[in-house]
Amino acid sequence: MIGKIKADLEHRYKRHEHRLDHVLGVAETAMDLGERVGLDSRKLLIAALLHDITKYESDEYHQEKIKEHFSNSEEIFSEYSPKLWHTFSAYVYAIEEYQIDDSDILEAILHHAIGAPAMNPYAEILFLSDYIEPNRTYNSCVKVRQIANESIDKAIYEAMNDTILFHQQEGERIPKIALEARDYYQMKQEELWKN
Ligand SMILES: [Fe+2]
Ligand SMILES: [Fe+2]
């Protein structure tokens, strides 16, 4: 399956080479971090390779897939900016094109951009890897990469917080789940601190 996904990516990103570099960077980072916390590297690799697979599809494509597969599609359209719709369509793509039914992988793909409260460990690692992979050079990514060396939970919280602040500055809508996720990972760190 991995070879087939790689060929699929090369075909889909023919005119977007930097995206292939990004996806491979996410995969490499996810495998490294996953090894640290004892996750199944094949599952992580599949999630990483598929997470942005529908990135260059049209808004109409995303809308169609979302309408077909999510009963709350109207809510999704009003709450999530179109930039985030690829997270839903990539989730659908993994099911339809690769018959993936592993909820760890599917959840990781679905939540990769803004996270969710109490994500499974694969989703946590993919979310963080998407933020800190080596091709990311923003100050926040460099900072979070550093934090990830010490604490994965703290790095996840910082990445969520900076993402929210950035989108607020840009005047973009912030889905409720992003705020709930940030609260959850802040609380998780405080709990850890107390113990
Ligand atoms: Fe993405
Ligand atoms: Fe990505």
Side-chain angles (χ1 to χ4, degrees):
M1 186 193 294
I2 304 287
K4 194 176 163 217
I5 301 175
K6 282 189 176 160
D8 195 359
L9 282 169
E10 271 166 26
H11 170 71
R12 291 178 155 262
Y13 295 162
K14 223 180 263 162
R15 270 170 277 132
H16 309 276
E17 255 175 51
H18 70 284
R19 183 59 49 183
L20 188 58
D21 292 342
H22 162 70
V23 166
L24 297 177
V26 173
E28 192 187 312
T29 307
M31 310 276 275
D32 283 351
L33 291 173
E35 202 177 74
R36 240 168 78 185
V37 291
L39 299 183
D40 178 335
S41 59
R42 187 167 185 274
K43 283 183 22 164
L44 268 177
L45 181 59
I46 293 172
L49 292 178
L50 287 173
H51 85 281
D52 275 341
I53 190 102
T54 57
K55 184 89 179 176
Y56 298 107
E57 296 296 335
S58 64
D59 284 354
E60 291 70 30
Y61 171 91
H62 301 308
Q63 279 172 314
E64 199 179 303
K65 294 290 171 194
I66 292 169
K67 270 189 209 154
E68 270 171 31
H69 291 268
F70 295 88
S71 57
N72 61 335
S73 59
E74 287 311 317
E75 220 174 282
I76 293 171
F77 298 141
S78 62
E79 225 191 316
Y80 291 74
S81 77
K83 265 192 217 161
L84 293 171
W85 293 351
H86 74 281
T87 59
F88 296 94
S89 59
Y91 167 95
V92 173
Y93 191 93
I95 298 171
E96 287 186 338
E97 301 297 321
Y98 291 97
Q99 289 73 50
I100 289 172
D101 57 4
D102 182 309
S103 59
D104 287 337
I105 297 177
L106 293 175
E107 204 185 291
I109 294 171
L110 187 62
H111 297 308
H112 79 260
I114 52 173
M119 288 183 283
N120 77 62
Y122 293 87
E124 289 181 339
I125 294 299
L126 184 63
F127 170 81
L128 183 57
S129 304
D130 191 34
Y131 202 79
I132 64 171
E133 63 93 4
N135 298 292
R136 301 272 205 213
T137 53
Y138 309 120
N139 289 344
S140 168
C141 303
V142 175
K143 177 189 79 180
V144 173
R145 194 177 293 136
Q146 202 69 36
I147 296 171
N149 289 329
E150 286 145 39
S151 163
I152 287 178
D153 281 332
K154 184 164 166 42
I156 290 171
Y157 166 74
E158 291 289 339
M160 286 175 170
N161 193 38
D162 285 354
T163 303
I164 290 170
L165 296 177
F166 174 77
H167 288 300
Q168 276 170 343
Q169 276 163 12
E170 298 284 297
E172 278 182 41
R173 49 196 136 147
I174 317 280
K176 196 167 73 205
I177 196 170
L179 302 170
E180 290 167 355
R182 178 177 62 175
D183 287 350
Y184 175 87
Y185 283 93
Q186 182 171 28
M187 210 171 64
K188 193 173 173 194
Q189 275 184 81
E190 285 164 6
E191 291 297 320
L192 286 174
W193 183 250
K194 269 188 247 156
N195 292 325

